[in-house]
Amino acid sequence: MPHTRPAATLGELLHRPERNPMSHAILDLLNQVMSSPWLYLALFALALLDGFFPIVPAETSVITAGVFAASTGEPALWLVMVVAALGAFAGDHISYAIGGKAGRRLHGKKSYAWAQQALAERGGLLLVVARYIPGGRTAATLTMGAVRYPRRSFAFFDAIAAGSWAVYSALIGFFGGMAFENDPIKGLLLGLGIAVSITVLVEVVRWVRKRRSQGSHRALVAAAQGAQGDS
């Protein structure tokens, strides 16, 4: 059978001679937080608030929990995924309700216009895509509430969006923690770097597709105008 090395304990991580005092203090604090049973409630609350208050660092918190799940064995990775998904699902429904009440006040805002156009093009899949775009998830849920998108369909697509986001964030942290098993801080930085890179990639692809769409539209307009001039 292949030999598997057990996860490093808190004492082993903190008493390595190469650990400098600052990283020692940061790691000690993070380990206290990650080993607390209140962590799961905190992750749920952060994911919930992030649904309608996007400044809250929910994704960073889930990634951090994933890193420590790989490095120290705490918290439980599956439970991190479950509470983060439930919190995101609840927060998105609060945002949907806010959008339903705000209604007309959202008109004219760029984020609303973007979400409305994307909703017309992609339907419920907008929720899944927007979950990985900074600020996009809030714009999408608010807009879907404002236009009275069917709640049952909203719940279906949002369950996919919230669940996939929770698994994605936790696993990015987990694999980062595995890559730097003996240094959770480096694992955290790697996990955050991967998450930022994926977000940037999504934004670049979206920008390129938008430019191509605009270029095709201009070409069609020019061709139509040319045809009219020849007639």
Side-chain angles (χ1 to χ4, degrees), residues 6-8 10 13 20-21 35 41 53 60 91 99 106 124 129 141 144-145 147 157 188 192 200 208 223 230:
L10 172 59
L13 288 170
N20 64 57
S35 60
L41 179 60
F53 193 64
T60 302
L106 294 174
V129 176
T141 50
M144 295 178 91
V147 301
F157 285 105
L188 174 58
L192 291 174
V200 170
V208 169
D230 294 336

Side-chain angles (χ1 to χ4, degrees), residues 22-41:
M22 181 171 291
S23 61
H24 184 291
I26 294 173
L27 188 58
D28 186 22
L29 176 61
L30 286 174
N31 268 285
Q32 289 180 28
V33 172
M34 293 299 151
S35 60
S36 170
W38 292 101
L39 170 70
Y40 302 107
L41 179 60

Side-chain angles (χ1 to χ4, degrees), residues 59-60 62-71 77 166-180 184 187-188 190-192 194-195:
E59 187 168 290
T60 302
V62 178
I63 291 173
T64 304
V67 168
F68 279 81
S71 300
L77 184 67
V167 172
Y168 150 83
S169 300
L171 287 182
I172 280 181
F174 185 79
F175 290 124
M178 288 183 64
F180 290 96
L188 174 58
L190 175 62
L192 291 174
I194 293 173

Side-chain angles (χ1 to χ4, degrees), residues 128-150:
V128 182
V129 176
R131 173 52 64 174
Y132 300 90
I133 300 173
R137 66 189 70 168
T138 306
T141 50
L142 286 172
T143 303
M144 295 178 91
V147 301
R148 301 293 194 274
Y149 189 81

